[in-house]
Amino acid sequence: MRPVLVLTHVPHEGPGLIAAGVDGPVRVRTVLDDPDPRLPALGEVSGVVVMGGPMDADDVRHPGLVAERRLLAAAVDADVPVLGVCLGMQILALALGARLHLRHGSEVGFAPVDVVADDPVLGALGIRPTVLHWHSDAVDLPSGATLLASTPTTPVQAFRAGSALGLQFHPEVTRSMLDLWLATPDMTSALDPDEVEAIRADGATHLPTLVPAAEKAFAAFGELVRARG
C-alpha cells in the first residue's frame, strides 16, 4: 500500500489514533517553515492527513502552509482521502475557498458536539459525542460541503467535501497524548492550574468511551485509504 502522508506542525500533535486506523505505512512530514517543500505527488500516497498546531491557518510567517493548501485542494480534486484535524481542518477549508475567522470563540476541554448529518467516518462517534476541543479560530462551511457537526460557539465543527473530512476537534487523542499536551507549556499557557486539572479529570471520565469510538471512526477512514492504496 502506498503510504499515507501526515503533515504535522508541532512535535506534540501527531496522528495518535489515526495512525492505527490507517493500519498501513505512514509518512510523517513537517513543512511548516519550508518556503519550497518537496511534498510527494498524489500518485505516491493513498491519503493525506493534516494535524493541528497553535499557528493561524493563514499565517504568512509559515510559508509551508501555502503548499499544504495547494496539496489539499489537489487531493480533493483527485478524490484522494483527506482528513484535517483542528488547524488541519482550517487549512482544508481555506484550500476549498472558505473564510477563516480568527479568535472567533475559545473552546478548550471536553464538551459535546451535535452531529447533524451522516458520514461513514464521523458517524462512528455517535450523535452527540463528548470530544476534546482546543481552538479559538473557526471557518465557514466551504461551498458545496456538507455540515456534519456543530456547537453554539463554533457552527462548523466538522464537514465533508467529497473525499475530504474536516474535524475541528480532536478525537485522535489518547490518554498519553493528553498527558503530554497538559505538560506542554505552549498548550497550557492560557490556562490556570485548575483548568488544567479539570481537563485531566474530564479525560479520565470521557476517554474510555471516546477512544473506542474514535478507533472505529479512524478504521473507517483507513478503509477509504486502503481502497485507494
Side-chain angles (χ1 to χ4, degrees), residues 1-9 13-15 18-19 22-32 37-52 64 67-75 80-85 88 221 225-226 228-229:
M1 186 176 110
R2 288 170 290 184
V4 172
L5 175 66
V6 178
L7 294 173
T8 62
H9 305 97
E13 294 203 42
I18 300 169
V22 166
D23 192 25
V26 171
R27 182 187 302 174
V28 179
R29 294 279 307 279
T30 301
V31 300
L32 181 67
R38 299 184 62 183
L39 292 169
L42 291 175
E44 300 173 3
V45 300
S46 56
V48 180
V49 175
V50 185
M51 301 308 304
E68 292 185 29
R69 290 202 301 270
R70 287 197 301 263
L71 179 68
L72 291 180
V80 175
V82 170
L83 177 60
V85 178
F221 176 72
V225 166
R226 288 188 291 277
R228 172 177 167 81

Short mmCIF file of all heavy atoms in Angstrom, two decimals, residues 1-9 13-15 18-19 22-32 37-52 64 67-75 80-85 88 221 225-226 228-229:
data_model
loop_
_atom_site.label_atom_id
_atom_site.label_comp_id
_atom_site.label_asym_id
_atom_site.label_seq_id
_atom_site.Cartn_x
_atom_site.Cartn_y
_atom_site.Cartn_z
N MET A 1 0.84 -1.19 0.00
CA MET A 1 0.00 0.00 0.00
C MET A 1 0.87 1.24 0.00
O MET A 1 1.88 1.31 0.69
CB MET A 1 -0.89 0.00 1.25
CG MET A 1 -1.92 1.11 1.30
SD MET A 1 -3.00 0.96 2.74
CE MET A 1 -2.43 2.35 3.70
N ARG A 2 0.48 2.22 -0.79
CA ARG A 2 1.18 3.50 -0.76
C ARG A 2 0.99 4.15 0.60
O ARG A 2 -0.06 4.01 1.23
CB ARG A 2 0.65 4.40 -1.87
CG ARG A 2 1.07 3.97 -3.27
CD ARG A 2 0.32 4.75 -4.34
NE ARG A 2 -1.09 4.37 -4.38
CZ ARG A 2 -1.98 4.82 -5.26
NH1 ARG A 2 -1.59 5.71 -6.16
NH2 ARG A 2 -3.22 4.42 -5.25
N PRO A 3 1.95 4.90 1.07
CA PRO A 3 1.84 5.47 2.42
C PRO A 3 0.80 6.58 2.49
O PRO A 3 0.45 7.21 1.49
CB PRO A 3 3.24 6.02 2.70
CG PRO A 3 3.80 6.31 1.34
CD PRO A 3 3.25 5.23 0.44
N VAL A 4 0.33 6.82 3.69
CA VAL A 4 -0.48 7.99 3.99
C VAL A 4 0.46 9.10 4.44
O VAL A 4 1.30 8.89 5.32
CB VAL A 4 -1.51 7.68 5.09
CG1 VAL A 4 -2.22 8.96 5.54
CG2 VAL A 4 -2.52 6.66 4.60
N LEU A 5 0.34 10.26 3.82
CA LEU A 5 1.15 11.42 4.20
C LEU A 5 0.47 12.12 5.37
O LEU A 5 -0.71 12.50 5.28
CB LEU A 5 1.29 12.37 3.01
CG LEU A 5 2.01 13.69 3.30
CD1 LEU A 5 3.47 13.44 3.65
CD2 LEU A 5 1.88 14.64 2.11
N VAL A 6 1.19 12.29 6.48
CA VAL A 6 0.69 13.00 7.65
C VAL A 6 1.53 14.27 7.81
O VAL A 6 2.74 14.19 8.03
CB VAL A 6 0.77 12.14 8.92
CG1 VAL A 6 0.29 12.95 10.13
CG2 VAL A 6 -0.06 10.88 8.77
N LEU A 7 0.89 15.42 7.72
CA LEU A 7 1.57 16.69 7.87
C LEU A 7 1.33 17.20 9.29
O LEU A 7 0.19 17.39 9.71
CB LEU A 7 1.04 17.70 6.85
CG LEU A 7 1.33 17.36 5.39
CD1 LEU A 7 0.62 18.33 4.46
CD2 LEU A 7 2.83 17.38 5.12
N THR A 8 2.41 17.42 10.02
CA THR A 8 2.33 17.92 11.39
C THR A 8 2.92 19.32 11.44
O THR A 8 3.64 19.76 10.54
CB THR A 8 3.08 17.00 12.37
OG1 THR A 8 4.46 16.97 12.02
CG2 THR A 8 2.50 15.59 12.35
N HIS A 9 2.61 20.02 12.55
CA HIS A 9 3.06 21.41 12.69
C HIS A 9 3.83 21.64 13.99
O HIS A 9 4.56 22.62 14.09
CB HIS A 9 1.85 22.35 12.61
CG HIS A 9 1.05 22.14 11.37
ND1 HIS A 9 -0.09 21.35 11.34
CD2 HIS A 9 1.23 22.59 10.10
CE1 HIS A 9 -0.57 21.33 10.12
NE2 HIS A 9 0.20 22.07 9.35
N GLU A 13 1.69 17.24 18.47
CA GLU A 13 0.39 16.99 17.84
C GLU A 13 0.58 16.04 16.66
O GLU A 13 0.48 16.42 15.49
CB GLU A 13 -0.27 18.30 17.42
CG GLU A 13 -0.66 19.17 18.60
CD GLU A 13 -1.77 20.16 18.29
OE1 GLU A 13 -2.74 19.77 17.62
OE2 GLU A 13 -1.65 21.30 18.75
N GLY A 14 0.83 14.76 17.00
CA GLY A 14 0.99 13.73 16.00
C GLY A 14 -0.33 13.08 15.66
O GLY A 14 -1.39 13.48 16.14
N PRO A 15 -0.31 12.02 14.84
CA PRO A 15 -1.55 11.40 14.36
C PRO A 15 -2.31 10.61 15.40
O PRO A 15 -3.50 10.34 15.22
CB PRO A 15 -1.09 10.51 13.21
CG PRO A 15 0.35 10.21 13.51
CD PRO A 15 0.87 11.45 14.17
N ILE A 18 -5.20 8.01 14.68
CA ILE A 18 -5.36 7.96 13.22
C ILE A 18 -4.40 6.96 12.60
O ILE A 18 -4.77 6.20 11.69
CB ILE A 18 -5.15 9.35 12.60
CG1 ILE A 18 -6.17 10.34 13.17
CG2 ILE A 18 -5.26 9.30 11.08
CD1 ILE A 18 -5.88 11.79 12.84
N ALA A 19 -3.17 6.93 13.08
CA ALA A 19 -2.17 6.02 12.51
C ALA A 19 -2.59 4.57 12.65
O ALA A 19 -2.43 3.77 11.72
CB ALA A 19 -0.81 6.25 13.16
N VAL A 22 -5.33 3.75 10.12
CA VAL A 22 -4.83 3.57 8.75
C VAL A 22 -4.35 2.14 8.54
O VAL A 22 -4.54 1.55 7.48
CB VAL A 22 -3.71 4.58 8.47
CG1 VAL A 22 -2.94 4.22 7.21
CG2 VAL A 22 -4.29 5.99 8.36
N ASP A 23 -3.70 1.56 9.58
CA ASP A 23 -3.23 0.17 9.53
C ASP A 23 -2.38 -0.08 8.29
O ASP A 23 -2.56 -1.04 7.54
CB ASP A 23 -4.41 -0.79 9.57
CG ASP A 23 -3.98 -2.24 9.81
OD1 ASP A 23 -2.90 -2.44 10.41
OD2 ASP A 23 -4.71 -3.16 9.40
N GLY A 24 -1.44 0.82 8.05
CA GLY A 24 -0.55 0.71 6.91
C GLY A 24 0.57 1.71 7.06
O GLY A 24 0.69 2.38 8.09
N PRO A 25 1.40 1.87 6.03
CA PRO A 25 2.54 2.78 6.14
C PRO A 25 2.10 4.24 6.25
O PRO A 25 1.15 4.66 5.59
CB PRO A 25 3.33 2.53 4.85
CG PRO A 25 2.34 1.93 3.91
CD PRO A 25 1.38 1.14 4.74
N VAL A 26 2.78 4.97 7.11
CA VAL A 26 2.51 6.38 7.35
C VAL A 26 3.81 7.15 7.20
O VAL A 26 4.84 6.76 7.75
CB VAL A 26 1.91 6.60 8.75
CG1 VAL A 26 1.82 8.08 9.08
CG2 VAL A 26 0.54 5.95 8.87
N ARG A 27 3.77 8.23 6.45
CA ARG A 27 4.95 9.09 6.28
C ARG A 27 4.65 10.44 6.93
O ARG A 27 3.77 11.18 6.46
CB ARG A 27 5.26 9.29 4.80
CG ARG A 27 6.50 10.15 4.53
CD ARG A 27 6.66 10.43 3.05
NE ARG A 27 6.76 9.20 2.28
CZ ARG A 27 6.79 9.16 0.94
NH1 ARG A 27 6.70 10.28 0.25
NH2 ARG A 27 6.89 8.01 0.32
N VAL A 28 5.34 10.76 8.02
CA VAL A 28 5.09 11.99 8.76
C VAL A 28 6.09 13.05 8.29
O VAL A 28 7.31 12.82 8.26
CB VAL A 28 5.22 11.77 10.28
CG1 VAL A 28 4.99 13.08 11.03
CG2 VAL A 28 4.22 10.70 10.74
N ARG A 29 5.57 14.22 7.91
CA ARG A 29 6.41 15.32 7.46
C ARG A 29 6.00 16.60 8.17
O ARG A 29 4.82 16.79 8.49
CB ARG A 29 6.25 15.54 5.95
CG ARG A 29 6.75 14.41 5.05
CD ARG A 29 8.25 14.50 4.86
NE ARG A 29 8.68 15.80 4.39
CZ ARG A 29 8.63 16.21 3.11
NH1 ARG A 29 8.15 15.42 2.17
NH2 ARG A 29 9.07 17.41 2.77
N THR A 30 6.95 17.51 8.37
CA THR A 30 6.67 18.86 8.84
C THR A 30 7.32 19.82 7.85
O THR A 30 8.55 19.84 7.71
CB THR A 30 7.23 19.10 10.25
OG1 THR A 30 6.64 18.16 11.15
CG2 THR A 30 6.89 20.51 10.73
N VAL A 31 6.48 20.60 7.16
CA VAL A 31 6.99 21.51 6.13
C VAL A 31 6.61 22.96 6.45
O VAL A 31 6.70 23.83 5.59
CB VAL A 31 6.46 21.12 4.73
CG1 VAL A 31 6.89 19.71 4.38
CG2 VAL A 31 4.94 21.26 4.66
N LEU A 32 6.19 23.21 7.67
CA LEU A 32 5.61 24.48 8.09
C LEU A 32 6.43 25.69 7.66
O LEU A 32 5.89 26.67 7.16
CB LEU A 32 5.44 24.45 9.60
CG LEU A 32 4.83 25.67 10.26
CD1 LEU A 32 3.37 25.82 9.86
CD2 LEU A 32 4.98 25.57 11.78
N PRO A 37 8.65 23.37 -0.08
CA PRO A 37 8.71 21.98 0.36
C PRO A 37 8.52 21.00 -0.79
O PRO A 37 7.73 21.25 -1.71
CB PRO A 37 7.55 21.87 1.36
CG PRO A 37 6.61 22.94 0.95
CD PRO A 37 7.45 24.06 0.42
N ARG A 38 9.23 19.90 -0.71
CA ARG A 38 9.10 18.85 -1.73
C ARG A 38 8.13 17.80 -1.18
O ARG A 38 8.53 16.82 -0.56
CB ARG A 38 10.47 18.25 -2.04
CG ARG A 38 11.46 19.26 -2.61
CD ARG A 38 12.77 18.60 -2.99
NE ARG A 38 12.60 17.60 -4.02
CZ ARG A 38 13.58 16.84 -4.49
NH1 ARG A 38 14.81 16.96 -3.99
NH2 ARG A 38 13.35 15.95 -5.44
N LEU A 39 6.87 18.02 -1.43
CA LEU A 39 5.84 17.09 -1.00
C LEU A 39 5.65 16.00 -2.05
O LEU A 39 5.84 16.25 -3.25
CB LEU A 39 4.52 17.83 -0.76
CG LEU A 39 4.52 18.80 0.42
CD1 LEU A 39 3.28 19.67 0.40
CD2 LEU A 39 4.62 18.03 1.73
N PRO A 40 5.27 14.80 -1.63
CA PRO A 40 5.08 13.73 -2.61
C PRO A 40 3.94 14.04 -3.56
O PRO A 40 2.98 14.74 -3.21
CB PRO A 40 4.78 12.51 -1.74
CG PRO A 40 4.30 13.05 -0.45
CD PRO A 40 5.01 14.35 -0.25
N ALA A 41 4.02 13.49 -4.76
CA ALA A 41 2.92 13.60 -5.70
C ALA A 41 1.75 12.77 -5.19
O ALA A 41 1.92 11.78 -4.46
CB ALA A 41 3.36 13.11 -7.08
N LEU A 42 0.55 13.16 -5.57
CA LEU A 42 -0.64 12.45 -5.08
C LEU A 42 -0.65 10.99 -5.53
O LEU A 42 -1.21 10.14 -4.84
CB LEU A 42 -1.90 13.16 -5.56
CG LEU A 42 -2.14 14.52 -4.92
CD1 LEU A 42 -3.34 15.21 -5.55
CD2 LEU A 42 -2.34 14.38 -3.41
N GLY A 43 -0.01 10.70 -6.64
CA GLY A 43 0.07 9.31 -7.09
C GLY A 43 0.96 8.45 -6.22
O GLY A 43 0.92 7.21 -6.33
N GLU A 44 1.73 9.09 -5.32
CA GLU A 44 2.63 8.34 -4.44
C GLU A 44 2.03 8.06 -3.08
O GLU A 44 2.66 7.39 -2.26
CB GLU A 44 3.94 9.13 -4.26
CG GLU A 44 4.70 9.39 -5.55
CD GLU A 44 5.88 10.32 -5.34
OE1 GLU A 44 6.14 10.70 -4.18
OE2 GLU A 44 6.54 10.66 -6.35
N VAL A 45 0.84 8.58 -2.80
CA VAL A 45 0.23 8.42 -1.48
C VAL A 45 -1.17 7.86 -1.63
O VAL A 45 -1.82 8.00 -2.67
CB VAL A 45 0.19 9.75 -0.70
CG1 VAL A 45 1.59 10.29 -0.50
CG2 VAL A 45 -0.70 10.77 -1.38
N SER A 46 -1.65 7.23 -0.55
CA SER A 46 -3.02 6.71 -0.56
C SER A 46 -3.97 7.59 0.24
O SER A 46 -5.18 7.34 0.27
CB SER A 46 -3.05 5.28 -0.01
OG SER A 46 -2.49 5.22 1.29
N GLY A 47 -3.45 8.63 0.89
CA GLY A 47 -4.27 9.56 1.65
C GLY A 47 -3.41 10.66 2.21
O GLY A 47 -2.18 10.56 2.24
N VAL A 48 -4.06 11.73 2.66
CA VAL A 48 -3.37 12.87 3.25
C VAL A 48 -4.08 13.23 4.55
O VAL A 48 -5.31 13.39 4.57
CB VAL A 48 -3.35 14.09 2.32
CG1 VAL A 48 -2.60 15.26 2.97
CG2 VAL A 48 -2.72 13.75 0.97
N VAL A 49 -3.30 13.37 5.63
CA VAL A 49 -3.82 13.76 6.94
C VAL A 49 -3.06 15.02 7.37
O VAL A 49 -1.83 15.06 7.27
CB VAL A 49 -3.63 12.64 7.98
CG1 VAL A 49 -4.07 13.11 9.37
CG2 VAL A 49 -4.39 11.39 7.56
N VAL A 50 -3.79 16.03 7.85
CA VAL A 50 -3.16 17.27 8.30
C VAL A 50 -3.58 17.51 9.75
O VAL A 50 -4.77 17.59 10.05
CB VAL A 50 -3.54 18.47 7.42
CG1 VAL A 50 -2.76 19.71 7.85
CG2 VAL A 50 -3.27 18.16 5.95
N MET A 51 -2.59 17.64 10.63
CA MET A 51 -2.85 17.72 12.06
C MET A 51 -2.92 19.16 12.55
O MET A 51 -2.87 20.10 11.77
CB MET A 51 -1.76 16.94 12.82
CG MET A 51 -1.66 15.47 12.44
SD MET A 51 -3.22 14.57 12.52
CE MET A 51 -3.72 14.87 14.21
N GLY A 52 -3.03 19.32 13.87
CA GLY A 52 -3.22 20.62 14.48
C GLY A 52 -1.93 21.37 14.75
O GLY A 52 -0.83 20.91 14.43
N GLY A 64 5.16 27.16 4.50
CA GLY A 64 4.75 25.81 4.17
C GLY A 64 3.24 25.62 4.16
O GLY A 64 2.72 24.70 3.52
N ALA A 67 1.81 25.63 0.68
CA ALA A 67 1.99 24.35 -0.02
C ALA A 67 0.99 23.31 0.48
O ALA A 67 0.48 22.50 -0.31
CB ALA A 67 3.42 23.85 0.17
N GLU A 68 0.69 23.34 1.77
CA GLU A 68 -0.31 22.41 2.31
C GLU A 68 -1.67 22.68 1.69
O GLU A 68 -2.40 21.74 1.32
CB GLU A 68 -0.37 22.53 3.82
CG GLU A 68 0.88 22.03 4.53
CD GLU A 68 0.74 22.04 6.04
OE1 GLU A 68 -0.41 21.89 6.53
OE2 GLU A 68 1.76 22.19 6.73
N ARG A 69 -2.05 23.94 1.58
CA ARG A 69 -3.35 24.27 0.96
C ARG A 69 -3.41 23.79 -0.49
O ARG A 69 -4.42 23.23 -0.93
CB ARG A 69 -3.61 25.78 1.03
CG ARG A 69 -3.87 26.28 2.43
CD ARG A 69 -4.64 27.60 2.41
NE ARG A 69 -3.94 28.66 1.70
CZ ARG A 69 -3.09 29.50 2.27
NH1 ARG A 69 -2.79 29.39 3.56
NH2 ARG A 69 -2.51 30.45 1.57
N ARG A 70 -2.33 24.02 -1.23
CA ARG A 70 -2.31 23.56 -2.63
C ARG A 70 -2.47 22.05 -2.71
O ARG A 70 -3.23 21.54 -3.55
CB ARG A 70 -1.00 23.99 -3.31
CG ARG A 70 -0.89 25.46 -3.63
CD ARG A 70 0.21 25.70 -4.65
NE ARG A 70 1.50 25.23 -4.18
CZ ARG A 70 2.42 26.02 -3.61
NH1 ARG A 70 2.17 27.31 -3.44
NH2 ARG A 70 3.58 25.53 -3.24
N LEU A 71 -1.77 21.34 -1.84
CA LEU A 71 -1.84 19.88 -1.86
C LEU A 71 -3.25 19.41 -1.53
O LEU A 71 -3.78 18.49 -2.17
CB LEU A 71 -0.84 19.29 -0.86
CG LEU A 71 -0.83 17.76 -0.77
CD1 LEU A 71 -0.27 17.17 -2.06
CD2 LEU A 71 -0.01 17.30 0.42
N LEU A 72 -3.89 20.01 -0.53
CA LEU A 72 -5.22 19.59 -0.14
C LEU A 72 -6.24 19.88 -1.23
O LEU A 72 -7.12 19.05 -1.50
CB LEU A 72 -5.63 20.27 1.16
CG LEU A 72 -4.86 19.82 2.40
CD1 LEU A 72 -5.35 20.58 3.63
CD2 LEU A 72 -4.99 18.33 2.63
N ALA A 73 -6.14 21.02 -1.87
CA ALA A 73 -7.06 21.33 -2.97
C ALA A 73 -6.90 20.31 -4.09
O ALA A 73 -7.90 19.82 -4.64
CB ALA A 73 -6.80 22.74 -3.48
N ALA A 74 -5.67 19.97 -4.41
CA ALA A 74 -5.43 18.99 -5.47
C ALA A 74 -5.91 17.60 -5.05
O ALA A 74 -6.46 16.84 -5.87
CB ALA A 74 -3.95 18.95 -5.82
N ALA A 75 -5.75 17.25 -3.78
CA ALA A 75 -6.18 15.94 -3.30
C ALA A 75 -7.69 15.79 -3.39
O ALA A 75 -8.20 14.74 -3.79
CB ALA A 75 -5.71 15.73 -1.86
N VAL A 80 -8.67 11.91 -3.53
CA VAL A 80 -7.78 11.25 -2.57
C VAL A 80 -8.36 11.43 -1.17
O VAL A 80 -8.75 12.54 -0.81
CB VAL A 80 -6.36 11.84 -2.65
CG1 VAL A 80 -5.46 11.25 -1.57
CG2 VAL A 80 -5.77 11.63 -4.03
N PRO A 81 -8.43 10.38 -0.35
CA PRO A 81 -8.93 10.55 1.02
C PRO A 81 -8.10 11.56 1.80
O PRO A 81 -6.87 11.48 1.84
CB PRO A 81 -8.82 9.15 1.62
CG PRO A 81 -8.89 8.23 0.44
CD PRO A 81 -8.18 8.96 -0.66
N VAL A 82 -8.78 12.50 2.43
CA VAL A 82 -8.15 13.58 3.20
C VAL A 82 -8.81 13.66 4.56
O VAL A 82 -10.04 13.54 4.67
CB VAL A 82 -8.27 14.93 2.46
CG1 VAL A 82 -7.84 16.08 3.38
CG2 VAL A 82 -7.46 14.94 1.18
N LEU A 83 -8.00 13.88 5.59
CA LEU A 83 -8.51 14.11 6.93
C LEU A 83 -7.77 15.31 7.51
O LEU A 83 -6.54 15.30 7.61
CB LEU A 83 -8.30 12.89 7.82
CG LEU A 83 -8.73 13.00 9.29
CD1 LEU A 83 -10.21 13.30 9.40
CD2 LEU A 83 -8.37 11.71 10.03
N GLY A 84 -8.50 16.36 7.88
CA GLY A 84 -7.91 17.53 8.51
C GLY A 84 -8.44 17.68 9.92
O GLY A 84 -9.65 17.65 10.13
N VAL A 85 -7.54 17.84 10.90
CA VAL A 85 -7.91 17.92 12.31
C VAL A 85 -7.50 19.28 12.87
O VAL A 85 -6.33 19.66 12.79
CB VAL A 85 -7.26 16.79 13.12
CG1 VAL A 85 -7.61 16.92 14.60
CG2 VAL A 85 -7.68 15.43 12.58
N GLY A 88 -5.64 21.58 10.88
CA GLY A 88 -5.73 20.88 9.59
C GLY A 88 -7.08 21.08 8.93
O GLY A 88 -7.16 21.20 7.70
N PHE A 221 -11.92 5.49 8.12
CA PHE A 221 -11.04 6.29 7.26
C PHE A 221 -9.99 5.39 6.63
O PHE A 221 -9.66 5.53 5.45
CB PHE A 221 -10.40 7.41 8.05
CG PHE A 221 -9.41 8.23 7.25
CD1 PHE A 221 -9.84 9.09 6.28
CD2 PHE A 221 -8.05 8.11 7.50
CE1 PHE A 221 -8.94 9.85 5.54
CE2 PHE A 221 -7.13 8.87 6.78
CZ PHE A 221 -7.58 9.74 5.78
N VAL A 225 -8.77 4.74 2.70
CA VAL A 225 -7.37 4.84 2.28
C VAL A 225 -6.94 3.56 1.57
O VAL A 225 -6.30 3.61 0.51
CB VAL A 225 -6.49 5.15 3.50
CG1 VAL A 225 -5.02 4.91 3.17
CG2 VAL A 225 -6.70 6.58 3.99
N ARG A 226 -7.26 2.41 2.17
CA ARG A 226 -6.82 1.14 1.59
C ARG A 226 -7.50 0.89 0.25
O ARG A 226 -6.93 0.26 -0.64
CB ARG A 226 -7.07 -0.01 2.56
CG ARG A 226 -6.10 0.01 3.75
CD ARG A 226 -6.24 -1.23 4.61
NE ARG A 226 -7.52 -1.24 5.32
CZ ARG A 226 -7.74 -0.61 6.47
NH1 ARG A 226 -6.78 0.11 7.02
NH2 ARG A 226 -8.91 -0.69 7.06
N ARG A 228 -8.00 3.07 -1.96
CA ARG A 228 -7.19 3.78 -2.95
C ARG A 228 -5.79 3.18 -3.06
O ARG A 228 -5.22 3.09 -4.14
CB ARG A 228 -7.06 5.27 -2.58
CG ARG A 228 -6.07 6.02 -3.46
CD ARG A 228 -5.99 7.49 -3.14
NE ARG A 228 -4.85 8.11 -3.76
CZ ARG A 228 -4.79 8.49 -5.02
NH1 ARG A 228 -5.83 8.31 -5.80
NH2 ARG A 228 -3.69 9.06 -5.51
N GLY A 229 -5.25 2.75 -1.88
CA GLY A 229 -3.85 2.36 -1.83
C GLY A 229 -3.53 1.02 -2.42
O GLY A 229 -2.37 0.71 -2.69
#
